[in-house]
Structures are given as structure tokens and as C-alpha cells.
Amino acid sequence: MPERQSSRKDAIRNRKAVLAAADALFARRESPEDVTMADVAAAAGVGKGTLFRAFGDRAGLLRALYEARLEPVGQAIETGPPPLGPATPPRERVPALLDAVLCFKLDNRRLALALEEDGSGSPYRAEHYERWHGLLRAVLEQIPGQTDGGFTAHALLAATRADLVEHLAGEEHTAREGMRQQLANFVTRVLASGPPQGPADEE
């Protein structure tokens, strides 16, 4: 039993060391592709085998690091006060949720970019994306007149894609507050537009 407990403690300690090392490497390197599993293992002081056993592959490591950084936001959404928490009126909660996504990606630009560019499958099937999409869809469908919450959630999340955030913050040098205001204006227009009119509605 003592050996098993010691082994578990070692695994927890190694996991924390790996996540911290990966976090630091992604923050320092210009391109996410420059960070390899061998780099992370060396920086964490563990063998590559330990890394693969704990996370499976590079995509698994990225997801674990992303989830660890996202945990405080998730707690605020699930049980926190307005404007992110569940008691918030939906018209106020939708822009707050998207602002939280944008701020998280601005604070974790290279990590978010690495995860979205990983190429291990459709980004729309990724667990973190499906969770954001499902939450936004559910909140949108609480708003009268929002009849296509699924598509609207996709369209709104597209404005927070990591590659767009990187482009605006990097190449166009758009200030953080400017990006937040632009997104807020866009969300306001989408929510105010209501469902599109078809030919029958125009007669």
C-alpha cells in the first residue's frame, strides 16, 4: 500500500511538472509547432515514456493543459454570480460568455492556437468546443425569437477562433479592449437581428 501511494504521488507530481513545463514552453516559443514532446519531457525532467503514459500524445497534453487553465472559468460559469453564472438573464449571459472565451484565448494565445491547429480531427468535434457550443446554444434558445441556436452559436464562436485572435492581436496589433468591444458590438447585432425573414414573411 505505501508503495502504491508513493507511486500515485509521483504521478501527480510528474503531471504538475509536465503541465508547468509545457505552459512555459508554449509561452516562450514563437510557433506552437516548435514545441515537441521531447522538449516538454526534458523541461519537466521526466522521460518521454512517462509523458506518453500520462497524456497519450501531444494532443492529449494540449487538451490537459488547456483544461487546467480553463478550470476557473468553468467554475464561474457553473456556479458563479452574474454575468457568467447560471442566474444571469440570457441576453446578458451570451455576450459575457463570449467575452470570457475571447479573454481566455488572449491570455493563452499560443496554447489555444496549438490546440486548434493540432490536426487530430475536426475542431468542431473537440470536447472543449462542443462544451462551449452546447452551453451557448442552450442559453441562446432561452431568448425569444432565437430559433436557430445551434447555428448562431457556431457563428458567434467563429469570432473567437484562436487563429483570428492571433491575427488581430499580432498582425493587426488590435488592442485587447478594442477586440472585446468589437466582439460585444457583433454579439449585440446578432441578438438584435432576430430570425431571418423568408418569402412568406415578406408578403
Side-chain angles (χ1 to χ4, degrees):
M1 184 67 70
E3 289 183 7
R4 184 178 299 175
Q5 290 177 343
S6 177
S7 177
R8 187 177 299 130
K9 288 180 180 178
D10 287 344
I12 293 171
R13 184 170 58 250
N14 286 341
R15 184 180 180 86
K16 289 181 178 179
V18 167
L19 291 176
D23 198 18
L25 285 170
F26 280 114
R28 289 199 303 267
R29 301 287 175 87
E30 280 298 316
S31 171
E33 295 302 319
D34 292 341
V35 180
T36 67
M37 293 289 272
D39 293 334
V40 175
V46 302
K48 285 179 65 176
T50 298
L51 201 60
F52 283 103
R53 282 194 298 273
F55 300 99
D57 55 16
R58 187 174 185 273
L61 172 60
L62 293 176
R63 287 192 298 269
L65 182 55
Y66 191 91
E67 292 297 333
R69 299 299 298 269
L70 190 60
E71 186 175 352
V73 180
Q75 290 177 349
I77 290 170
E78 290 178 11
T79 60
L84 286 179
T88 312
R91 283 191 179 275
E92 298 173 21
R93 198 178 186 202
V94 169
L97 289 170
L98 286 156
D99 183 64
V101 177
L102 175 62
C103 288
F104 180 80
K105 291 189 176 180
L106 282 168
D107 291 337
N108 300 274
R109 281 168 55 188
R110 289 183 172 83
L111 173 59
L113 192 63
L115 186 62
E116 292 185 13
E117 289 185 345
D118 178 66
S120 60
S122 168
Y124 303 105
R125 297 294 185 189
E127 182 180 350
H128 65 90
Y129 183 88
E130 290 186 336
R131 192 161 61 246
W132 278 117
H133 180 266
L135 174 62
L136 270 175
R137 178 176 186 166
V139 178
L140 284 163
E141 289 177 349
Q142 297 173 19
I143 301 175
Q146 292 294 328
T147 58
D148 197 355
F151 178 80
T152 304
H154 281 307
L156 291 172
L157 285 170
T160 68
R161 277 186 56 91
D163 52 0
L164 176 60
V165 171
E166 182 69 18
H167 173 72
L168 293 174
E171 294 183 26
E172 296 196 4
H173 304 291
T174 307
R176 180 190 184 95
E177 291 307 310
M179 292 174 66
R180 294 180 67 190
Q181 188 60 57
Q182 289 169 347
L183 179 62
N185 293 343
F186 173 62
V187 176
T188 298
R189 290 195 299 271
V190 170
L191 296 184
S193 63
Q197 289 189 332
D201 299 319
E202 295 171 355
E203 294 177 358

